[in-house]
Amino acid sequence: MLITLRETADRLMAANSLILTAHVNPDGDAIGSCLGLKFLLETMGKRVQVIIDDDIPKFLNIMPGIEEIKKPVEESYEADYLVILDACLDRVGVLPEKCKAPVLNIDHHGTNDELADYLYLDAESAATAEIIYRLAKALGIRFDKDSATAVYIGLATDSGYFKYSNTTPHTMRAAAELMETGIRPEKISEAIETKDFSVIQGMAKALQTVELFADGKVAGVFLDHELTSSLDNTEGFIDLIRVIDGVDVSVVLKAVEPEVCRVSMRSKVTDVSLIAAGMGGGGHKRAAGCTIKMPFAEAKKYLMSEILKALEV
Ligand code: AMP
Ligand code: MN
Ligand code: MN
């Protein structure tokens, strides 16, 4: 059921204990939204746990409270609400099976399946963290440095440091206000963007696989299972190719298991959320993804035919 921001705030206010979670393969917005909301709710005396069914990427180590995030190792969980952030029910792993509390879903993906008991969806927000910022206003809670850092990281990472088309005056105003707590954008971006030397070597290997399609309108990097296994991180690879002159759709395909491939897409014109949704995933017009359960070569063929079919001229 779709609910308003006011009703979302009222439901959170009425709850005593909450479990917050976000999508697997968590990014800065998923984790920033969880921890930002956790800090804010704790100032209201709520009992809050953040549980995510995946590993936490090292590049987010600067996030305050990141060490408190747990995996869903218990048999079952009790809470007044299971709050799902930055995703819908089908992308958060086992937690919805282990926690039977009503699901309160807060998301900014237009492809949300709307199956949650209560859903606040705003596809105009650059990040779920931007909704968390507005929730703090609705709840009348002030940001401190920790909550501001978490929410700022969500805003910054999902908007490409305020340069993607999802950036609005609201995003900028939220970031400006969060900065008033004393957080430093350059320290945050430096910490997030610093990479091990081995990652740069991995990027060099990955870039050797780059191919252009459709007269240069599509660029792809294709990481088979052997190459993927030799890389500990592929964060940012897609940004290396989406800047190629003339490219509309860019894509990174990586075989995370011999028969499971993960896809990331970015675009300038074509709506890649539709392409991703057609393959069982989702996302936004300009940034979307999916998982294809096929061996690498087969997945590549399927993916490229779906992209070429969808190209907008
Ligand atoms: P990524 O390429 O992983 O940065 O993802 C780009 C956007 O697509 C993000 O908003 C993701 O949340 C979304 N996305 C990625 N993979 C999926 C998926 N399997 N299902 C739904 N949305 C996805
Ligand atoms: Mn996300
Ligand atoms: Mn997001």
Side-chain angles (χ1 to χ4, degrees), residues 74-110:
E74 310 284 335
E75 278 291 296
S76 66
Y77 291 91
E78 302 277 328
D80 295 332
Y81 286 106
L82 173 61
V83 182
I84 298 183
L85 297 167
D86 199 37
C88 47
L89 278 147
D90 67 352
R91 206 157 66 102
V92 297
V94 300
L95 206 49
E97 281 153 44
K98 293 185 165 190
C99 178
K100 293 298 175 196
V103 171
L104 177 56
N105 188 187
I106 302 171
D107 191 16
H108 71 130
H109 292 90

mmCIF file of all heavy atoms in Angstrom, residues 74-110:
data_model
loop_
_atom_site.group_PDB
_atom_site.id
_atom_site.type_symbol
_atom_site.label_atom_id
_atom_site.label_comp_id
_atom_site.label_asym_id
_atom_site.label_seq_id
_atom_site.Cartn_x
_atom_site.Cartn_y
_atom_site.Cartn_z
ATOM 1 N N GLU A 74 20.562 -15.082 12.821
ATOM 2 C CA GLU A 74 19.614 -15.714 13.749
ATOM 3 C C GLU A 74 18.510 -16.432 12.962
ATOM 4 O O GLU A 74 18.276 -16.137 11.792
ATOM 5 C CB GLU A 74 18.945 -14.652 14.641
ATOM 6 C CG GLU A 74 19.894 -13.689 15.329
ATOM 7 C CD GLU A 74 20.621 -14.312 16.513
ATOM 8 O OE1 GLU A 74 20.075 -15.275 17.082
ATOM 9 O OE2 GLU A 74 21.727 -13.855 16.836
ATOM 10 N N GLU A 75 17.816 -17.370 13.686
ATOM 11 C CA GLU A 75 16.695 -18.101 13.076
ATOM 12 C C GLU A 75 15.544 -17.169 12.714
ATOM 13 O O GLU A 75 14.928 -17.281 11.662
ATOM 14 C CB GLU A 75 16.150 -19.130 14.089
ATOM 15 C CG GLU A 75 16.937 -20.421 14.148
ATOM 16 C CD GLU A 75 16.774 -21.242 12.870
ATOM 17 O OE1 GLU A 75 15.642 -21.683 12.597
ATOM 18 O OE2 GLU A 75 17.784 -21.416 12.152
ATOM 19 N N SER A 76 15.230 -16.267 13.694
ATOM 20 C CA SER A 76 14.100 -15.367 13.470
ATOM 21 C C SER A 76 14.331 -14.033 14.173
ATOM 22 O O SER A 76 15.174 -13.943 15.078
ATOM 23 C CB SER A 76 12.804 -16.007 13.969
ATOM 24 O OG SER A 76 12.872 -16.129 15.373
ATOM 25 N N TYR A 77 13.616 -13.034 13.728
ATOM 26 C CA TYR A 77 13.776 -11.676 14.262
ATOM 27 C C TYR A 77 12.408 -11.086 14.580
ATOM 28 O O TYR A 77 11.454 -11.298 13.836
ATOM 29 C CB TYR A 77 14.484 -10.785 13.235
ATOM 30 C CG TYR A 77 15.931 -11.147 13.021
ATOM 31 C CD1 TYR A 77 16.301 -12.068 12.034
ATOM 32 C CD2 TYR A 77 16.927 -10.575 13.797
ATOM 33 C CE1 TYR A 77 17.627 -12.412 11.847
ATOM 34 C CE2 TYR A 77 18.261 -10.909 13.617
ATOM 35 C CZ TYR A 77 18.603 -11.827 12.643
ATOM 36 O OH TYR A 77 19.919 -12.154 12.454
ATOM 37 N N GLU A 78 12.358 -10.344 15.706
ATOM 38 C CA GLU A 78 11.119 -9.670 16.113
ATOM 39 C C GLU A 78 11.337 -8.164 16.045
ATOM 40 O O GLU A 78 12.396 -7.671 16.449
ATOM 41 C CB GLU A 78 10.792 -9.995 17.582
ATOM 42 C CG GLU A 78 10.641 -11.471 17.902
ATOM 43 C CD GLU A 78 9.257 -11.998 17.571
ATOM 44 O OE1 GLU A 78 8.305 -11.202 17.699
ATOM 45 O OE2 GLU A 78 9.148 -13.170 17.157
ATOM 46 N N ALA A 79 10.334 -7.449 15.558
ATOM 47 C CA ALA A 79 10.387 -5.979 15.562
ATOM 48 C C ALA A 79 8.984 -5.464 15.267
ATOM 49 O O ALA A 79 8.109 -6.226 14.858
ATOM 50 C CB ALA A 79 11.363 -5.491 14.499
ATOM 51 N N ASP A 80 8.779 -4.168 15.484
ATOM 52 C CA ASP A 80 7.481 -3.579 15.129
ATOM 53 C C ASP A 80 7.368 -3.406 13.618
ATOM 54 O O ASP A 80 6.284 -3.523 13.058
ATOM 55 C CB ASP A 80 7.298 -2.235 15.841
ATOM 56 C CG ASP A 80 7.213 -2.416 17.349
ATOM 57 O OD1 ASP A 80 6.771 -3.507 17.779
ATOM 58 O OD2 ASP A 80 7.605 -1.496 18.090
ATOM 59 N N TYR A 81 8.489 -3.083 12.985
ATOM 60 C CA TYR A 81 8.523 -3.004 11.513
ATOM 61 C C TYR A 81 9.850 -3.542 10.995
ATOM 62 O O TYR A 81 10.891 -3.353 11.637
ATOM 63 C CB TYR A 81 8.427 -1.551 11.016
ATOM 64 C CG TYR A 81 7.059 -0.937 11.131
ATOM 65 C CD1 TYR A 81 6.800 0.004 12.123
ATOM 66 C CD2 TYR A 81 6.043 -1.290 10.249
ATOM 67 C CE1 TYR A 81 5.553 0.588 12.240
ATOM 68 C CE2 TYR A 81 4.788 -0.711 10.360
ATOM 69 C CZ TYR A 81 4.551 0.222 11.353
ATOM 70 O OH TYR A 81 3.310 0.788 11.462
ATOM 71 N N LEU A 82 9.780 -4.174 9.831
ATOM 72 C CA LEU A 82 10.981 -4.426 9.053
ATOM 73 C C LEU A 82 11.017 -3.304 8.008
ATOM 74 O O LEU A 82 10.115 -3.206 7.163
ATOM 75 C CB LEU A 82 10.890 -5.791 8.363
ATOM 76 C CG LEU A 82 12.018 -6.111 7.364
ATOM 77 C CD1 LEU A 82 13.386 -6.116 8.047
ATOM 78 C CD2 LEU A 82 11.773 -7.459 6.683
ATOM 79 N N VAL A 83 12.011 -2.430 8.132
ATOM 80 C CA VAL A 83 12.089 -1.274 7.231
ATOM 81 C C VAL A 83 13.075 -1.594 6.110
ATOM 82 O O VAL A 83 14.250 -1.871 6.370
ATOM 83 C CB VAL A 83 12.542 -0.009 7.997
ATOM 84 C CG1 VAL A 83 12.573 1.199 7.059
ATOM 85 C CG2 VAL A 83 11.627 0.261 9.185
ATOM 86 N N ILE A 84 12.582 -1.610 4.876
ATOM 87 C CA ILE A 84 13.432 -1.919 3.719
ATOM 88 C C ILE A 84 13.742 -0.620 2.980
ATOM 89 O O ILE A 84 12.839 0.089 2.549
ATOM 90 C CB ILE A 84 12.751 -2.924 2.774
ATOM 91 C CG1 ILE A 84 12.517 -4.240 3.527
ATOM 92 C CG2 ILE A 84 13.587 -3.146 1.509
ATOM 93 C CD1 ILE A 84 11.904 -5.341 2.687
ATOM 94 N N LEU A 85 15.047 -0.340 2.839
ATOM 95 C CA LEU A 85 15.475 0.924 2.258
ATOM 96 C C LEU A 85 16.191 0.703 0.931
ATOM 97 O O LEU A 85 16.982 -0.241 0.788
ATOM 98 C CB LEU A 85 16.421 1.635 3.232
ATOM 99 C CG LEU A 85 15.779 2.014 4.577
ATOM 100 C CD1 LEU A 85 16.850 2.415 5.583
ATOM 101 C CD2 LEU A 85 14.775 3.132 4.394
ATOM 102 N N ASP A 86 15.905 1.552 -0.050
ATOM 103 C CA ASP A 86 16.641 1.582 -1.323
ATOM 104 C C ASP A 86 16.475 0.312 -2.160
ATOM 105 O O ASP A 86 17.335 -0.011 -2.974
ATOM 106 C CB ASP A 86 18.134 1.855 -1.047
ATOM 107 C CG ASP A 86 18.875 2.346 -2.295
ATOM 108 O OD1 ASP A 86 18.280 3.115 -3.079
ATOM 109 O OD2 ASP A 86 20.039 1.951 -2.501
ATOM 110 N N ALA A 87 15.377 -0.402 -1.973
ATOM 111 C CA ALA A 87 15.110 -1.625 -2.749
ATOM 112 C C ALA A 87 13.702 -2.071 -2.425
ATOM 113 O O ALA A 87 13.083 -1.548 -1.497
ATOM 114 C CB ALA A 87 16.081 -2.733 -2.349
ATOM 115 N N CYS A 88 13.197 -3.054 -3.170
ATOM 116 C CA CYS A 88 11.949 -3.677 -2.744
ATOM 117 C C CYS A 88 12.243 -5.057 -2.181
ATOM 118 O O CYS A 88 13.405 -5.464 -2.063
ATOM 119 C CB CYS A 88 10.907 -3.679 -3.854
ATOM 120 S SG CYS A 88 11.478 -4.217 -5.449
ATOM 121 N N LEU A 89 11.181 -5.786 -1.830
ATOM 122 C CA LEU A 89 11.333 -7.036 -1.078
ATOM 123 C C LEU A 89 12.208 -8.096 -1.738
ATOM 124 O O LEU A 89 12.844 -8.889 -1.064
ATOM 125 C CB LEU A 89 9.943 -7.636 -0.853
ATOM 126 C CG LEU A 89 9.174 -7.059 0.318
ATOM 127 C CD1 LEU A 89 7.688 -7.047 0.023
ATOM 128 C CD2 LEU A 89 9.450 -7.884 1.569
ATOM 129 N N ASP A 90 12.240 -8.093 -3.070
ATOM 130 C CA ASP A 90 12.901 -9.217 -3.748
ATOM 131 C C ASP A 90 14.421 -9.086 -3.819
ATOM 132 O O ASP A 90 15.085 -9.944 -4.375
ATOM 133 C CB ASP A 90 12.331 -9.390 -5.164
ATOM 134 C CG ASP A 90 12.668 -8.224 -6.068
ATOM 135 O OD1 ASP A 90 13.201 -7.215 -5.561
ATOM 136 O OD2 ASP A 90 12.399 -8.307 -7.280
ATOM 137 N N ARG A 91 14.990 -8.005 -3.263
ATOM 138 C CA ARG A 91 16.432 -7.824 -3.419
ATOM 139 C C ARG A 91 17.143 -7.633 -2.087
ATOM 140 O O ARG A 91 18.201 -7.007 -2.027
ATOM 141 C CB ARG A 91 16.698 -6.623 -4.353
ATOM 142 C CG ARG A 91 18.038 -6.720 -5.080
ATOM 143 C CD ARG A 91 18.100 -5.900 -6.353
ATOM 144 N NE ARG A 91 18.033 -4.481 -6.144
ATOM 145 C CZ ARG A 91 19.075 -3.654 -6.179
ATOM 146 N NH1 ARG A 91 20.278 -4.123 -6.423
ATOM 147 N NH2 ARG A 91 18.915 -2.370 -6.000
ATOM 148 N N VAL A 92 16.543 -8.152 -1.000
ATOM 149 C CA VAL A 92 17.151 -7.946 0.306
ATOM 150 C C VAL A 92 17.577 -9.260 0.973
ATOM 151 O O VAL A 92 17.949 -9.271 2.140
ATOM 152 C CB VAL A 92 16.233 -7.127 1.249
ATOM 153 C CG1 VAL A 92 16.021 -5.739 0.686
ATOM 154 C CG2 VAL A 92 14.910 -7.809 1.498
ATOM 155 N N GLY A 93 17.532 -10.361 0.232
ATOM 156 C CA GLY A 93 18.004 -11.633 0.788
ATOM 157 C C GLY A 93 16.978 -12.284 1.699
ATOM 158 O O GLY A 93 15.770 -12.170 1.474
ATOM 159 N N VAL A 94 17.474 -12.947 2.782
ATOM 160 C CA VAL A 94 16.617 -13.850 3.576
ATOM 161 C C VAL A 94 15.803 -13.150 4.665
ATOM 162 O O VAL A 94 14.914 -13.756 5.249
ATOM 163 C CB VAL A 94 17.455 -14.964 4.274
ATOM 164 C CG1 VAL A 94 18.189 -15.819 3.260
ATOM 165 C CG2 VAL A 94 18.436 -14.367 5.289
ATOM 166 N N LEU A 95 16.099 -11.884 4.956
ATOM 167 C CA LEU A 95 15.483 -11.241 6.123
ATOM 168 C C LEU A 95 13.942 -11.253 6.122
ATOM 169 O O LEU A 95 13.343 -11.543 7.170
ATOM 170 C CB LEU A 95 16.033 -9.810 6.270
ATOM 171 C CG LEU A 95 16.016 -9.222 7.677
ATOM 172 C CD1 LEU A 95 16.590 -10.158 8.718
ATOM 173 C CD2 LEU A 95 16.717 -7.882 7.688
ATOM 174 N N PRO A 96 13.282 -10.984 4.993
ATOM 175 C CA PRO A 96 11.808 -11.024 5.028
ATOM 176 C C PRO A 96 11.250 -12.392 5.424
ATOM 177 O O PRO A 96 10.146 -12.472 5.964
ATOM 178 C CB PRO A 96 11.404 -10.657 3.591
ATOM 179 C CG PRO A 96 12.555 -9.864 3.078
ATOM 180 C CD PRO A 96 13.778 -10.489 3.700
ATOM 181 N N GLU A 97 12.004 -13.475 5.199
ATOM 182 C CA GLU A 97 11.548 -14.800 5.642
ATOM 183 C C GLU A 97 11.736 -14.968 7.141
ATOM 184 O O GLU A 97 10.977 -15.676 7.801
ATOM 185 C CB GLU A 97 12.339 -15.908 4.953
ATOM 186 C CG GLU A 97 11.884 -16.181 3.540
ATOM 187 C CD GLU A 97 13.014 -16.736 2.686
ATOM 188 O OE1 GLU A 97 13.748 -17.612 3.168
ATOM 189 O OE2 GLU A 97 13.166 -16.231 1.545
ATOM 190 N N LYS A 98 12.763 -14.325 7.687
ATOM 191 C CA LYS A 98 13.098 -14.506 9.107
ATOM 192 C C LYS A 98 12.408 -13.498 10.013
ATOM 193 O O LYS A 98 12.371 -13.684 11.223
ATOM 194 C CB LYS A 98 14.613 -14.399 9.293
ATOM 195 C CG LYS A 98 15.396 -15.534 8.641
ATOM 196 C CD LYS A 98 16.870 -15.423 8.980
ATOM 197 C CE LYS A 98 17.595 -16.717 8.656
ATOM 198 N NZ LYS A 98 18.967 -16.723 9.180
ATOM 199 N N CYS A 99 11.924 -12.415 9.453
ATOM 200 C CA CYS A 99 11.265 -11.388 10.253
ATOM 201 C C CYS A 99 9.884 -11.149 9.676
ATOM 202 O O CYS A 99 9.751 -10.675 8.551
ATOM 203 C CB CYS A 99 12.086 -10.092 10.220
ATOM 204 S SG CYS A 99 11.297 -8.754 11.136
ATOM 205 N N LYS A 100 8.867 -11.524 10.456
ATOM 206 C CA LYS A 100 7.500 -11.465 9.935
ATOM 207 C C LYS A 100 6.790 -10.155 10.285
ATOM 208 O O LYS A 100 5.578 -10.037 10.135
ATOM 209 C CB LYS A 100 6.700 -12.675 10.437
ATOM 210 C CG LYS A 100 7.220 -13.994 9.857
ATOM 211 C CD LYS A 100 7.075 -14.014 8.325
ATOM 212 C CE LYS A 100 7.685 -15.243 7.678
ATOM 213 N NZ LYS A 100 7.877 -15.092 6.232
ATOM 214 N N ALA A 101 7.554 -9.173 10.783
ATOM 215 C CA ALA A 101 6.958 -7.859 11.105
ATOM 216 C C ALA A 101 6.428 -7.214 9.822
ATOM 217 O O ALA A 101 6.900 -7.528 8.721
ATOM 218 C CB ALA A 101 8.029 -6.974 11.735
ATOM 219 N N PRO A 102 5.451 -6.306 9.940
ATOM 220 C CA PRO A 102 4.978 -5.595 8.747
ATOM 221 C C PRO A 102 6.138 -4.876 8.055
ATOM 222 O O PRO A 102 7.034 -4.358 8.723
ATOM 223 C CB PRO A 102 3.981 -4.573 9.305
ATOM 224 C CG PRO A 102 3.669 -5.011 10.682
ATOM 225 C CD PRO A 102 4.775 -5.883 11.174
ATOM 226 N N VAL A 103 6.123 -4.882 6.734
ATOM 227 C CA VAL A 103 7.222 -4.276 5.965
ATOM 228 C C VAL A 103 6.882 -2.824 5.643
ATOM 229 O O VAL A 103 5.856 -2.523 5.033
ATOM 230 C CB VAL A 103 7.487 -5.063 4.668
ATOM 231 C CG1 VAL A 103 8.478 -4.297 3.782
ATOM 232 C CG2 VAL A 103 8.031 -6.451 4.988
ATOM 233 N N LEU A 104 7.773 -1.942 6.094
ATOM 234 C CA LEU A 104 7.681 -0.521 5.753
ATOM 235 C C LEU A 104 8.817 -0.247 4.770
ATOM 236 O O LEU A 104 9.984 -0.388 5.118
ATOM 237 C CB LEU A 104 7.835 0.319 7.024
ATOM 238 C CG LEU A 104 7.841 1.834 6.900
ATOM 239 C CD1 LEU A 104 6.579 2.331 6.210
ATOM 240 C CD2 LEU A 104 7.918 2.466 8.304
ATOM 241 N N ASN A 105 8.464 0.088 3.546
ATOM 242 C CA ASN A 105 9.452 0.200 2.470
ATOM 243 C C ASN A 105 9.608 1.678 2.073
ATOM 244 O O ASN A 105 8.619 2.366 1.822
ATOM 245 C CB ASN A 105 8.937 -0.636 1.287
ATOM 246 C CG ASN A 105 9.908 -0.815 0.129
ATOM 247 O OD1 ASN A 105 9.530 -1.350 -0.901
ATOM 248 N ND2 ASN A 105 11.147 -0.398 0.277
ATOM 249 N N ILE A 106 10.850 2.146 2.039
ATOM 250 C CA ILE A 106 11.139 3.527 1.646
ATOM 251 C C ILE A 106 12.128 3.452 0.493
ATOM 252 O O ILE A 106 13.216 2.891 0.644
ATOM 253 C CB ILE A 106 11.741 4.327 2.824
ATOM 254 C CG1 ILE A 106 10.771 4.310 4.022
ATOM 255 C CG2 ILE A 106 12.081 5.755 2.398
ATOM 256 C CD1 ILE A 106 11.357 4.880 5.318
ATOM 257 N N ASP A 107 11.728 3.978 -0.679
ATOM 258 C CA ASP A 107 12.552 3.708 -1.863
ATOM 259 C C ASP A 107 12.430 4.830 -2.892
ATOM 260 O O ASP A 107 11.466 5.611 -2.864
ATOM 261 C CB ASP A 107 12.100 2.368 -2.483
ATOM 262 C CG ASP A 107 13.060 1.860 -3.562
ATOM 263 O OD1 ASP A 107 14.204 2.348 -3.647
ATOM 264 O OD2 ASP A 107 12.644 0.963 -4.331
ATOM 265 N N HIS A 108 13.414 4.875 -3.809
ATOM 266 C CA HIS A 108 13.360 5.858 -4.901
ATOM 267 C C HIS A 108 13.499 5.190 -6.275
ATOM 268 O O HIS A 108 13.810 5.861 -7.247
ATOM 269 C CB HIS A 108 14.439 6.944 -4.709
ATOM 270 C CG HIS A 108 15.849 6.482 -4.945
ATOM 271 N ND1 HIS A 108 16.726 7.164 -5.768
ATOM 272 C CD2 HIS A 108 16.539 5.411 -4.484
ATOM 273 C CE1 HIS A 108 17.892 6.539 -5.779
ATOM 274 N NE2 HIS A 108 17.804 5.475 -5.013
ATOM 275 N N HIS A 109 13.305 3.869 -6.344
ATOM 276 C CA HIS A 109 13.379 3.163 -7.619
ATOM 277 C C HIS A 109 11.992 3.101 -8.264
ATOM 278 O O HIS A 109 11.084 2.484 -7.697
ATOM 279 C CB HIS A 109 13.892 1.731 -7.434
ATOM 280 C CG HIS A 109 15.333 1.666 -7.021
ATOM 281 N ND1 HIS A 109 15.734 1.662 -5.714
ATOM 282 C CD2 HIS A 109 16.466 1.627 -7.763
ATOM 283 C CE1 HIS A 109 17.050 1.605 -5.657
ATOM 284 N NE2 HIS A 109 17.527 1.588 -6.885
ATOM 285 N N GLY A 110 11.862 3.692 -9.448
ATOM 286 C CA GLY A 110 10.587 3.647 -10.168
ATOM 287 C C GLY A 110 10.139 2.233 -10.459
ATOM 288 O O GLY A 110 8.943 1.980 -10.680
#
